[in-house]
Amino acid sequence: MTDTHARLRGSMTALATPFRDGEFDEAAFRKFVNWQIEQGTHALVPTGTTGESPTLSHAEHDRVVEICVAEAAGRVPVIAGAGSNSTREAVARARHAESVGADAVLTVTPYYNKPTQEGMYAHFKAVNDAVGIPIIIYNIPGRSVVDMSVDTMKRLFELKNIAGVKDATAKIDRVSLQRQALGEDFIQLSGEDATALGFNAHGGRGCISVVSNVAPRLCADLQEATLAGDYAKALTIQDRLMPLHVQMFYESNPVPAKYALSRLGLMSEEVRLPLVPATEGCRRAVDAALAHAGLI
């Protein structure tokens, strides 16, 4: 296992992308990245779903990754979102991420096209063959419709750069099944905040988190507790965070997170269409969850 592989663990924030008057707010993003690191976040994941990557232009997407790498300055790993339902585009984004110094890339299973298992294998092999940094498979059937099988992951893990999975199936048994088939060196990261504690108990080693946008210290503490085997401490933290785990998805991600970040003074709540600002019901629910966690 390489040093980079060993560092891909713990609380990894799926970073929101701040906007102001319709444009990428670079100043707010730089401050946000530094705040995340200061709060104990173990790795940064720009340009994912939470970063509204579907509505970023290619130039904006690349700029977000560049700034994240520059501000992180090697203090924590940067796992750049580099997925697309177009294999050609996924390769281009992954190559760019590698060229500007990202430590790894996160590549989603192709959405909308509904490829077969063989199509998914060919897609990820193309990305694997194009870069020389670790690739984390992002398996999220709820958004991409397709679900990568354990057998396909096992085939992909034989390739030089496929390192692990961000599992957003919310099926805890998948962790054990994947661990049994692929072994302990296959990096398993939760993509679902509410079940991240149980995920690690099954053999996971971290979470690519939405909630850590607004509660990075608590999320880092929870992950550190589980990785040290202190599940009693982790459960206490989980009880503080559970309302946030729920309410961050009261409406489409990252709408509740952007609202929460605005309440904490970290960025505007502005999102891009087709997303719209949080409703009053969402705002009340998020406020209550932030208060329960002791953040406001």
Side-chain angles (χ1 to χ4, degrees):
M1 183 178 292
T2 67
D3 178 61
T4 297
H5 285 70
R7 294 176 74 203
L8 300 180
R9 61 193 291 116
S11 181
M12 308 174 175
T13 303
L15 296 167
T17 303
F19 300 123
R20 185 168 294 281
D21 300 324
E23 301 299 322
F24 169 43
D25 188 343
E26 292 193 8
F29 187 64
R30 289 181 187 277
K31 291 179 182 177
F32 186 51
V33 166
N34 282 285
W35 180 73
Q36 283 284 326
I37 296 170
E38 291 160 6
Q39 289 288 308
T41 292
H42 301 111
L44 301 169
V45 187
T47 58
T49 308
T50 309
E52 295 177 76
S53 58
T55 56
L56 297 178
S57 69
H58 289 171
E60 287 175 325
H61 187 289
D62 291 349
R63 185 65 178 152
V64 171
V65 174
E66 289 164 11
I67 291 175
C68 189
V69 170
E71 292 298 326
R75 291 176 289 171
V76 299
V78 174
I79 308 167
S84 173
N85 63 333
S86 161
T87 303
R88 183 177 295 180
E89 184 174 326
V91 165
R93 300 279 72 73
R95 281 177 168 159
H96 173 268
E98 181 179 30
S99 75
V100 299
D103 299 277
V105 292
L106 177 69
T107 302
V108 70
T109 49
Y111 42 88
Y112 193 76
N113 312 53
K114 298 176 69 174
T116 61
Q117 295 297 316
E118 190 60 35
M120 282 187 273
Y121 177 84
H123 175 86
F124 279 89
K125 185 178 186 302
V127 180
N128 171 86
D129 293 349
V131 298
I133 56 177
I135 298 163
I136 304 295
I137 299 161
Y138 184 12
N139 192 31
I140 180 164
R143 283 188 183 268
S144 62
V145 184
V146 291
D147 182 2
M148 183 181 288
S149 71
V150 177
D151 287 343
T152 300
M153 280 185 204
K154 186 175 181 180
R155 287 180 67 200
L156 285 169
F157 192 43
E158 295 170 0
L159 303 176
K160 63 174 181 171
N161 295 315
I162 303 296
V165 64
K166 174 186 176 183
D167 189 312
T169 64
K171 297 177 180 177
I172 293 292
D173 61 326
R174 285 291 291 264
V175 193
S176 292
L177 292 170
Q178 287 157 186
R179 180 181 171 88
Q180 187 173 44
L182 290 92
E184 295 181 22
D185 289 341
F186 187 67
I187 300 166
Q188 296 202 64
L189 306 172
S190 172
E192 211 273 322
D193 279 292
T195 57
L197 187 156
F199 188 98
N200 282 7
H202 276 254
R205 50 187 271 189
C207 178
I208 297 181
S209 170
V210 175
V211 173
S212 62
N213 276 278
V214 299
R217 182 70 264 169
L218 287 171
C219 289
D221 288 347
L222 185 150
Q223 284 293 321
E224 288 168 7
T226 63
L227 295 173
D230 190 348
Y231 281 89
K233 179 180 179 181
L235 187 58
T236 299
I237 301 168
Q238 174 84 340
D239 287 341
R240 282 184 66 184
L241 286 173
M242 195 63 202
L244 274 177
H245 292 334
V246 174
Q247 303 308 342
M248 284 300 97
F249 298 93
Y250 185 103
E251 291 172 353
S252 300
N253 176 47
V255 171
K258 282 277 190 81
Y259 169 69
L261 288 165
S262 75
R263 291 282 281 119
L264 299 176
L266 292 164
M267 67 179 67
S268 162
E269 65 177 300
E270 188 176 326
V271 291
R272 281 186 175 167
L273 289 170
L275 300 181
V276 293
T279 61
E280 285 306 313
C282 179
R283 291 166 192 260
R284 287 193 296 271
V286 170
D287 283 345
L290 287 170
H292 181 88
L295 299 175
I296 59 171

